[in-house]
């Protein structure tokens, strides 16, 4: 490795370590069943009703966002600002931004930054479940470091390979190598739903 590259990796790692926060990447306990996350927004059967009093307390309406603003093409990722307490995070995420992704007609939502390299994942790859194995959920592959996650649960899974279309580049791979020694952390995921007025709800 050239001295310049070494310095770059060092600088990057230092930044990552100082902005590394365990609480922001811990899976939330008591979130609603994964089924909700899997339910397509176009099907309203399982969705909370419009009446504010009947929306369970863990479902929050995302202000000013309509279902038409969410991605609908396979692999498409859209950043939306939820402006919700519980997602907003001081100066690092003042608008409560999250990533929304679509795959096989289902919607998924997750924290913007990769839990491994902390790089925003709005350009990440959404990959189908692996051909073999028990994993049935699509996968999220960080475009910078290639870390791969179960899109439904956020749990880290075996990294997807380049031939499967995984993200990642050389520098990201080095950062991942450095971060891996700290253990693999899940990415926080959120369940989305909608109401009859095409407003979007998120489970917190
Ligand atoms: C995510 O990464 C971006 C770009 O590096 C950074 O500005 C932002 O503060 C990070 N967000 C969080 C929540 O760490």
């Amino acid at each position: 490795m050239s001295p310049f590259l070494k310095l770059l990796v060092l600088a990057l790692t230092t930044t990552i370590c100082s902005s590394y926060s365990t609480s922001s990447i811990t899976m939330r306990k008591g979130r609603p069943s994964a089924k909700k996350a899997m339910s397509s927004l176009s099907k309203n059967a399982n969705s909370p009703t419009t009446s504010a009093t009947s929306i369970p307390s863990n479902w929050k309406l995302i202000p000013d966002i309509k279902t038409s603003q969410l991605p609908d093409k396979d692999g498409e990722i859209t950043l939306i600002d939820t402006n919700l307490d519980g997602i907003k995070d001081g100066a690092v995420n003042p608008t409560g931004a999250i990533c929304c992704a679509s795959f096989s007609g289902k919607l998924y939502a997750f924290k913007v930054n990769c839990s491994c390299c902390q790089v925003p994942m709005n350009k990440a790859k959404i990959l189908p479940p692996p051909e073999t194995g028990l994993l049935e959920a699509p996968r999220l592959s960080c475009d910078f470091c290639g870390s791969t996650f179960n899109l439904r649960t956020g749990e880290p899974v075996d990294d997807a390979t380049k031939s499967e279309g995984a993200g990642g580049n050389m520098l990201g791979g080095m950062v991942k190598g450095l971060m891996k020694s700290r253990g693999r952390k899940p990415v926080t995921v959120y369940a989305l739903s909608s109401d009859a007025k095409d407003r979007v709800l998120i489970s917190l």
Side-chain angles (χ1 to χ4, degrees):
M1 203 189 304
S2 77
F4 169 73
L5 210 54
K6 234 182 228 168
L7 211 73
L8 189 61
V9 172
L10 200 73
L12 212 60
T13 321
T14 318
T15 320
I16 286 162
C17 293
S18 55
S19 68
Y20 190 77
S21 140
T22 321
S23 63
S24 70
I25 49 176
T26 313
M27 290 274 290
R28 285 180 176 279
K29 292 209 171 63
R31 70 192 173 81
S33 82
K35 258 193 211 133
K36 293 261 187 188
M38 299 286 285
S39 73
S40 161
L41 279 190
S42 52
K43 285 181 246 138
N44 281 319
N46 291 331
S47 304
T49 65
T50 47
S51 150
T53 51
S54 62
I55 295 175
S57 58
N58 54 339
W59 286 99
K60 291 252 170 65
L61 202 60
I62 303 179
D64 305 323
I65 298 289
K66 294 285 188 184
T67 53
S68 58
Q69 290 165 260
L70 299 176
D72 59 0
K73 283 193 219 62
D74 264 11
E76 191 181 345
I77 301 179
T78 306
L79 274 171
I80 63 165
D81 290 328
T82 66
N83 287 300
L84 290 174
D85 291 337
I87 299 182
K88 284 196 277 192
D89 186 4
V92 294
N93 192 1
T95 59
I98 57 166
C99 283
C100 299
S102 174
F103 191 83
S104 253
K106 287 173 181 137
L107 273 160
Y108 302 88
F110 48 93
K111 256 198 176 145
V112 175
N113 293 14
C114 174
S115 64
C116 179
C117 67
Q118 301 298 324
V119 169
M121 291 197 286
N122 54 318
K123 298 266 166 62
K125 309 285 181 208
I126 307 294
L127 305 173
E131 302 264 311
T132 53
L134 298 172
L135 187 72
E136 282 163 33
R139 291 166 296 169
L140 172 67
S141 170
C142 173
D143 200 45
F144 182 65
C145 76
S147 285
T148 307
F149 305 93
N150 178 318
L151 192 51
R152 188 164 53 78
T153 65
E155 288 296 323
V157 298
D158 288 343
D159 285 340
T161 61
K162 284 280 171 195
S163 63
E164 292 178 294
N169 59 37
M170 195 188 71
L171 184 57
M174 286 190 276
V175 172
K176 180 173 67 179
L178 291 163
M179 297 308 289
K180 274 240 168 94
S181 56
R182 296 159 162 266
R184 289 153 54 99
K185 299 281 198 306
V187 161
T188 301
V189 294
Y190 306 98
L192 295 179
S193 192
S194 65
D195 67 11
K197 291 180 182 162
D198 286 332
R199 297 181 301 184
V200 182
L201 297 123
I202 186 166
S203 70
L204 294 182

